[in-house]
Amino acid sequence: MRFTISPQAAKALRALEAAGYEAYLVGGCVRDDLMGIPPHDYDITTSARPDEIKRVFSGCRLVLDGEKHGTISPVIDGDLTEITTFRADGAYSDGRHPDEVSFSTRLSDDLERRDFTINAMAWSERTGLVDLYHGEEDLKNGCIRAVGDPQARFREDALRILRGMRFASRLGFSIEPQTAAAMHSLAPRLEAISRERVFAELTGILQGEHAMTVLSDFHDVLFTVVPELFPLYMCPQKSVYHIYDVWEHTLHVLDAVAPRTPVLTWAALLHDCGKPQTRMRDRKGYDHYPQHQAVGAKMAERILQSLKVSNAFLKDVCTLVLYHDEKLDAQTAKLLMYRVGPERFEALVSLRRADLLAHAPRVMKELDALEGATARYHEALDKQECVSLRTLAVNGDDMMALGYQGPEIREALERLLLCVLRDEIRNEREPLMQKAAAR
Ligand code: ATP
Ligand code: MG
């Protein structure tokens, strides 16, 4: 079989075999290579014990962070290569970590503890593909299937439920029915998983090209880990501007959003989370959601805090949620650059585009305005136009000289800035002073 393997990984396999041990590429790199995707790293599994691995690579710098899990990582020709002793997992009593990990001399033990058949294949030059669970066939058929009894495997480690969704979302695979049934029924066990891990897997799911399908099929799993989103499900959206309910609309925005960065895909998921709480039906039977942006931004903040994300990430997503519904065209571009920060402006345009695409056809004409907004944004950047108080041609001292005092000073500056942002006045000292003086 054809196999592309990095020179460093090839060297590592050969060195272990030359010393009398078995050694294989395993997991993601085998899966990716069979799919024709260049692997992003190579994991090696071997019969050599950690001390023996160290001896074989005594001439290399060794990274030992994973030593207690049996992983020794020699730096081979500048590349970090993870080499792990065959493992067999003991019982799992906490739903995430095996109580004890024992080293094994058999490759089959190591493959048996892996999550999905497509991730449980090994390869070496000597043996070719070792595929005890028909992973290659599942790969061909686009199927995610647990290794062994799915109920038992997700009971051992509930994180695998989200991992399965992540692979389905990334690869566009379907999930084998019994595996899927176990994912649904054991989802409540995800409550035992650390929130950081949940966040990392959810992010992987959201970023996948097939996130819409996976989250549509497994909305119950999502709502188990982010219960705040459950009210979106079947929340009505009776309006001439909409063709979907709020949850379906959210999924379509998620589907359309590009590029699929963590910030943008999370913003897509959360952008309308304030709608269920703010929904009001008018006398004609149409729905309105006053203040849903601000309510949603607050909810998004609580959701992301519960997932222990960084402050920078939280601020990025919540800012997009807060301003996602603003009118965005050439006239308002600079105002929004100021509101969201110039570095978030392009993300706001992307979110708005995806949001419009998930509306009724009559709304599509607003897409043209986004081109105008983007052009105006680039022009403002190129010409270094003023989009902040800092770059306004007058300052606090100027306002004091005109008699403004205390909080009035900032208010006056902000009023002037708004005029500049709307292109109503040039950012020059004379006209700004005149305007401020004429109060
Ligand atoms: P990616 O391309 O996302 O890195 P990957 O398959 O390499 O995909 P990793 O998380 O790097 O995924 O894990 C490497 C391998 O370890 C997997 O292919 C799988 O065989 C095994 N594995 C990882 N996490 C688990 C788990 N929770 N339960 C069982 N096996 C796992
Ligand atoms: Mg990997």
Side-chain angles (χ1 to χ4, degrees):
M1 152 197 164
R2 173 197 64 89
F3 212 98
T4 41
I5 173 168
S6 72
Q8 292 86 346
K11 240 185 198 174
L13 288 182
R14 258 182 251 127
L16 287 161
E17 287 186 343
Y21 303 106
E22 285 182 51
Y24 305 85
L25 297 181
V26 70
C29 64
V30 179
R31 177 198 67 224
D32 287 349
D33 190 80
L34 285 171
M35 295 186 73
I37 302 170
H40 56 82
D41 52 19
Y42 291 89
D43 291 327
I44 290 175
T45 185
T46 178
S47 59
R49 299 294 165 113
D51 281 343
E52 296 169 330
I53 303 174
K54 282 192 205 166
R55 226 171 293 138
V56 173
F57 296 97
S58 56
C60 301
R61 191 163 76 78
L62 298 175
V63 176
L64 301 175
D65 300 349
E67 188 171 5
K68 76 171 194 288
H69 311 289
T71 303
I72 306 291
S73 307
V75 180
I76 302 174
D77 300 337
D79 234 43
L80 192 78
T81 307
E82 286 201 354
I83 304 178
T84 309
T85 306
F86 293 158
R87 283 170 37 172
D89 292 345
Y92 288 68
S93 41
D94 67 352
R96 173 76 188 107
H97 304 99
D99 298 339
E100 59 184 84
V101 177
S102 48
F103 296 132
S104 163
T105 52
R106 285 197 306 265
L107 173 65
S108 57
D109 287 336
D110 190 83
L111 297 181
E112 189 183 346
R113 72 175 178 87
R114 292 180 183 268
D115 48 8
F116 301 104
T117 61
I118 59 168
N119 289 346
M121 293 180 275
W123 180 90
S124 82
E125 226 157 6
R126 188 174 58 82
T127 58
L129 188 70
V130 180
D131 180 14
L132 306 180
Y133 299 98
H134 309 292
E136 192 178 16
E137 193 183 326
D138 282 339
L139 204 55
K140 275 205 191 94
N141 295 329
C143 176
I144 311 263
R145 183 194 309 270
V147 170
D149 170 18
Q151 294 275 343
R153 301 315 306 285
F154 297 131
R155 265 202 195 98
E156 283 171 4
D157 177 4
L159 189 70
R160 291 171 185 155
I161 297 170
L162 296 179
R163 285 177 58 85
M165 290 166 63
R166 170 159 68 84
F167 290 116
S169 174
R170 191 204 295 175
L171 304 172
F173 284 16
S174 57
I175 300 182
E176 178 274 323
Q178 290 190 12
T179 301
M183 287 164 68
H184 289 296
S185 69
L186 293 166
R189 298 200 171 218
L190 281 163
E191 276 162 31
I193 303 288
S194 88
R195 297 297 280 171
E196 290 88 343
R197 298 304 302 266
V198 168
F199 172 72
E201 292 299 336
L202 284 180
T203 305
I205 295 167
L206 292 173
Q207 288 189 265
E209 292 289 330
H210 303 271
M212 172 159 100
T213 311
V214 173
L215 289 181
S216 176
D217 293 349
F218 290 89
H219 56 263
D220 54 326
V221 177
L222 176 70
F223 300 151
T224 305
V225 287
V226 190
E228 296 88 341
L229 294 181
F230 178 61
L232 297 187
Y233 192 65
M234 306 218 299
C235 175
Q237 195 157 224
K238 189 152 171 6
S239 149
V240 292
Y241 305 112
H242 280 284
I243 45 179
Y244 305 117
D245 67 29
V246 177
W247 172 242
E248 288 167 342
H249 164 75
T250 298
L251 288 180
H252 279 86
V253 177
L254 177 61
D255 192 47
V257 82
R260 304 193 69 78
T261 59
V263 166
L264 264 175
T265 51
W266 271 100
L269 179 72
L270 299 176
H271 79 285
D272 273 348
C273 70
K275 277 192 169 171
Q277 253 188 60
T278 55
R279 185 169 75 93
M280 288 171 52
R281 183 153 283 192
D282 67 20
R283 267 181 296 166
K284 291 190 188 135
Y286 291 114
D287 290 319
H288 305 273
Y289 312 87
Q291 302 292 322
H292 79 273
Q293 305 90 327
V295 171
K298 272 267 158 250
M299 272 181 73
E301 187 178 328
R302 278 196 301 275
I303 290 170
L304 292 172
Q305 267 164 354
S306 88
L307 290 162
K308 314 254 173 82
V309 307
S310 71
N311 285 336
F313 185 85
L314 184 142
K315 182 92 180 111
D316 284 345
V317 174
C318 294
T319 304
L320 293 176
V321 172
L322 183 59
Y323 292 108
H324 78 269
D325 225 14
E326 299 289 313
K327 184 168 156 55
L328 192 49
D329 57 23
Q331 278 71 51
T332 61
K334 284 206 297 178
L335 184 65
L336 281 151
M337 280 172 80
Y338 169 61
R339 294 251 155 90
V340 303
E343 67 288 355
R344 297 194 188 94
F345 184 82
E346 287 183 295
L348 183 72
V349 173
S350 299
L351 179 62
R352 183 103 187 108
R353 180 176 296 115
D355 194 2
L356 290 174
L357 287 169
H359 275 70
R362 67 165 66 196
V363 176
M364 298 307 150
K365 59 181 185 295
E366 287 183 38
L367 284 168
D368 293 340
L370 294 185
E371 308 304 324
T374 305
R376 190 70 191 88
Y377 159 77
H378 285 297
E379 186 188 348
L381 283 188
D382 289 347
K383 295 189 181 158
Q384 302 192 343
E385 289 179 38
C386 162
V387 288
S388 65
L389 282 175
R390 217 168 14 83
T391 48
L392 196 64
V394 291
N395 63 23
D397 291 343
D398 296 321
M399 295 303 106
M400 284 201 298
L402 291 173
Y404 288 91
Q405 289 176 346
E408 289 172 6
I409 297 172
R410 196 185 160 90
E411 286 162 20
L413 288 171
E414 280 183 345
R415 266 199 309 277
L416 293 175
L417 177 63
L418 286 184
C419 296
V420 170
L421 293 171
R422 293 192 188 110
D423 294 328
E424 291 164 7
I425 192 167
R426 286 192 311 280
N427 183 34
E428 287 167 10
R429 199 181 145 73
E430 269 318 298
L432 289 172
M433 289 300 275
Q434 269 174 27
K435 172 106 188 158
R439 59 169 156 160

